[in-house]
Amino acid sequence: TQKVSDREKFGLEMDTVICKNCGLMYFNPRPTKKMYAELNRADYRIAASGTDQGTDEFFKKQKDFARTKIVPFVSEHLGGFKPMSFLDVGCGCGGTAAAFKEAYEEIELYGVEPVLGHGKYAKEKAGISVYGGLFEDFETDKRFDVIVYTQTINHTLDPRGNLEKIRELLTSEGVLFIGLWDLVNALLNRPLERMAEIYHPYIFCSETIKFLVKKTGFDIVDCRERVLD
C-alpha cells in the first residue's frame, strides 16, 4: 500500500492508503465497530449537516433522486416482475422508499438506519419499518425483491460481508441497486480530503466496486457512471 493522505474531511489525523494492486483506498488503521456505532447515533449527521434529526429537505432530496434515477433504473431491470418487498440499507429519511411506494403501491417497505433521528423520521413520514442500528447487526427472516444500497457501502467496516449478507436477503428474482461516489470522477474537481472522511473507512472507484460485487456472487446487469460537476 501507499499512503496518500494523513488528514480527513473534518481535519482528523487519519491515514488514507491505496492498494497498489487494485486501487482500493481505505483508512489504516480503521476505527472500531463500537466507535462507528457511537458516531452514527449522534455525531455523524451533526457534523455533516448540522443536525442528527430527519428533515423535509433531506427527505425531498432522496425522493426526487429516487423517483428520477433509482426507480426507473431498477424497474427497467425487473423485466415486468412486480416487487412486493423493499429494503433500503441506510434509508436516511425514507425518501427513496417513498418513491418506490409511489411506483409500486403494494410494496412493503423496510429500512436499516444507524442515525436514530433519521430512522424515526423515515418511519413517521414514509411508513417504513426501520431497524435502528448497523446493518451488520440487522437480522430478519424476510427476503426482498428490491434492495437499495446507495451512499452506504463506503460507510461500512465490512463491505464484502455486507454484500454477502445482501445476496442472502434477496429473492430469486431480486435486484440490488448500489449507488456511490466514484472516487476517480470525484477527484476531477474535489480534493481527496473531501472524499476521505472518518465515516468512509473504504473509498471505491468503478473498478474496485465492480470487482467486489462479482466476487460476492452477483451478476452485474448494468452500470452507469456520471462525471460530477
Side-chain angles (χ1 to χ4, degrees), residues 10-216:
F10 300 106
L12 298 175
E13 294 183 357
M14 300 184 70
D15 290 342
T16 302
V17 301
I18 186 169
C19 174
K20 294 181 181 180
N21 292 323
C22 72
L24 178 67
M25 295 178 64
Y26 55 93
F27 285 130
N28 186 23
R30 287 179 294 281
T32 64
K33 178 181 175 182
K34 181 179 180 181
M35 180 184 293
Y36 268 103
E38 292 298 325
L39 287 169
N40 277 312
R41 286 191 183 99
D43 296 339
Y44 167 53
R45 281 299 170 184
I46 292 177
S49 56
T51 179
D52 61 351
Q53 301 303 303
T55 64
D56 292 344
E57 181 182 4
F58 188 25
F59 174 85
K60 183 179 185 301
K61 182 179 179 180
Q62 285 187 298
K63 188 174 181 180
D64 288 346
F65 182 78
R67 183 192 292 122
T68 57
K69 302 295 184 182
I70 303 178
V71 173
F73 186 89
V74 170
S75 298
E76 178 182 337
H77 296 288
L78 285 171
F81 172 67
K82 185 178 181 180
M84 299 300 293
S85 53
F86 168 91
L87 174 66
D88 191 350
V89 181
C91 66
C93 290
T96 301
F100 272 89
K101 189 68 172 180
E102 285 186 353
Y104 303 100
E105 292 183 1
E106 298 179 12
I107 201 168
E108 294 184 354
L109 304 176
Y110 297 85
V112 177
E113 177 53 57
V115 182
L116 301 184
H118 283 194
K120 182 175 183 292
Y121 182 98
K123 182 177 180 179
E124 295 173 351
K125 182 78 172 182
I128 311 172
S129 177
V130 179
Y131 171 78
L134 298 174
F135 182 61
E136 288 85 348
D137 300 323
F138 174 63
E139 296 182 2
T140 182
D141 293 329
K142 295 183 180 297
R143 296 296 178 265
F144 304 95
D145 297 325
V146 175
I147 298 181
V148 169
Y149 195 42
T150 183
Q151 304 299 336
T152 301
I153 193 168
N154 284 350
H155 288 261
T156 179
L157 291 168
D158 185 12
R160 178 170 181 166
N162 277 15
L163 287 175
E164 290 173 343
K165 185 173 183 176
I166 286 173
R167 183 164 50 82
E168 295 298 320
L169 292 176
L170 276 173
T171 61
S172 59
E173 296 182 286
V175 171
L176 166 65
F177 175 90
I178 298 176
L180 77 164
W181 291 101
D182 178 350
L183 172 68
V184 175
N185 280 342
L187 288 180
L188 292 176
N189 50 27
R190 287 171 170 79
L192 176 62
E193 287 76 9
R194 287 283 304 278
M195 297 299 295
E197 61 175 81
I198 188 173
Y199 308 102
H200 293 171
Y202 291 92
I203 308 172
F204 293 91
C205 63
S206 177
E207 289 76 13
T208 53
I209 190 62
K210 287 177 183 177
F211 175 83
L212 182 59
V213 167
K214 291 179 180 178
K215 192 74 173 179
T216 49

